[in-house]
Amino acid sequence: MPGLAAVYEKSEYLRMQRAIEELLRSEAVEQKIASRRDAVVVRDLLPKTDFSWSKEAWWYDLSSGTVNSYNQVVNVDLDKKKVIAIWGVKMRGDPVVSAVKFMRGESETIDIWEIEALGEGDISIITNVEDVVLYHAQDKVNIQYYLLAQGYAQFVLLGKVAEKRDTTVAGSRLKREEVELLHREMFRRE
């Protein structure tokens, strides 16, 4: 069971996001999605693009779901084209879901996150690096929500996707030294 904790400072969120991006770049090269780190684009996780939902919005219709049970909301094969890391959640609307189960295929449970304590607008991120949910390029992503009541699941999975440049987006064309300069300036302590 991961440690999820409320985010109190924007800097915590940004540090986690940057660390995830670096991890995904390395994983994408290691898993031969791209031959070099600069050929990898890391972007936000998108429900339609990455999970085949009907629209690019984090609202999932569970009005006919089974209450007091896990309901599958994602079942996609990554086809060796992308790597996904999920590292937190942001609650929106009324809670109809109390937990999220992350599975690899049909039989391997990676982790289960209890999210019932989150309130409207709350953001929770993992508290231990080991709790990042990482899907490799050859994995089948299976995500299930534990349903408390029928309705719409209204929370955002905070995640990033690494894929070969120009697959979904082209990404920035900044040179490495320009990126390093921007990072130094953005995270400079005054």
Side-chain angles (χ1 to χ4, degrees):
M1 183 76 167
L4 286 178
V7 176
Y8 297 104
E9 293 183 24
K10 183 80 171 173
S11 62
E12 292 176 67
Y13 181 90
L14 294 174
R15 276 195 303 272
M16 178 61 76
Q17 189 169 324
R18 186 155 190 269
I20 294 295
E21 289 172 1
E22 291 304 310
L23 167 75
L24 285 174
R25 275 185 181 65
S26 296
E27 286 289 330
V29 172
E30 184 177 314
Q31 295 178 41
K32 301 188 183 342
I33 291 170
S35 58
R36 302 176 326 275
R37 288 174 60 89
D38 64 353
V40 176
V41 172
V42 178
R43 60 173 175 76
D44 289 336
L45 180 65
L46 300 167
K48 182 178 181 182
T49 301
D50 300 311
F51 292 157
S52 300
W53 287 11
S54 62
K55 55 188 171 187
E56 213 68 275
W58 288 105
W59 292 58
Y60 196 86
D61 183 2
L62 289 165
S63 57
S64 60
T66 305
V67 176
N68 296 323
S69 181
Y70 281 100
N71 292 257
Q72 188 174 59
V73 296
V74 177
N75 187 22
V76 296
D77 191 334
L78 296 183
D79 294 325
K80 299 182 180 173
K81 295 179 182 173
K82 60 180 89 172
V83 182
I84 295 175
I86 301 171
W87 51 279
V89 295
K90 179 179 181 182
M91 184 59 82
R92 295 171 50 193
D94 295 326
V96 298
V97 172
S98 66
V100 181
K101 182 189 290 188
F102 299 96
M103 298 180 70
R104 191 172 288 112
E106 300 300 320
S107 59
E108 183 185 352
T109 299
I110 300 168
D111 215 335
I112 300 172
W113 293 357
E114 190 281 321
I115 62 166
E116 195 170 9
L118 292 178
E120 170 75 32
D122 283 352
I123 296 175
S124 281
I125 62 174
I126 58 166
T127 56
N128 298 306
V129 174
E130 298 86 14
D131 295 327
V132 170
V133 175
L134 183 65
Y135 288 103
H136 290 183
Q138 74 277 5
D139 288 341
K140 184 171 188 176
V141 178
N142 178 346
I143 300 175
Q144 301 174 13
Y145 293 170
Y146 192 88
L147 192 57
L148 294 174
Q150 290 180 332
Y152 286 87
Q154 303 174 29
F155 63 91
V156 178
L157 291 176
L158 302 175
K160 293 287 184 178
V161 176
E163 60 192 359
K164 189 173 182 179
R165 184 176 299 282
D166 296 319
T167 301
T168 303
V169 296
S172 172
R173 297 293 186 194
L174 292 172
K175 296 180 181 101
R176 182 162 186 79
E177 57 272 8
E178 294 168 327
V179 171
E180 289 171 359
L181 173 66
L182 287 170
H183 279 282
R184 278 194 308 274
E185 292 299 315
M186 287 173 60
F187 296 102
R188 182 175 52 165
R189 297 196 189 266
E190 307 225 5

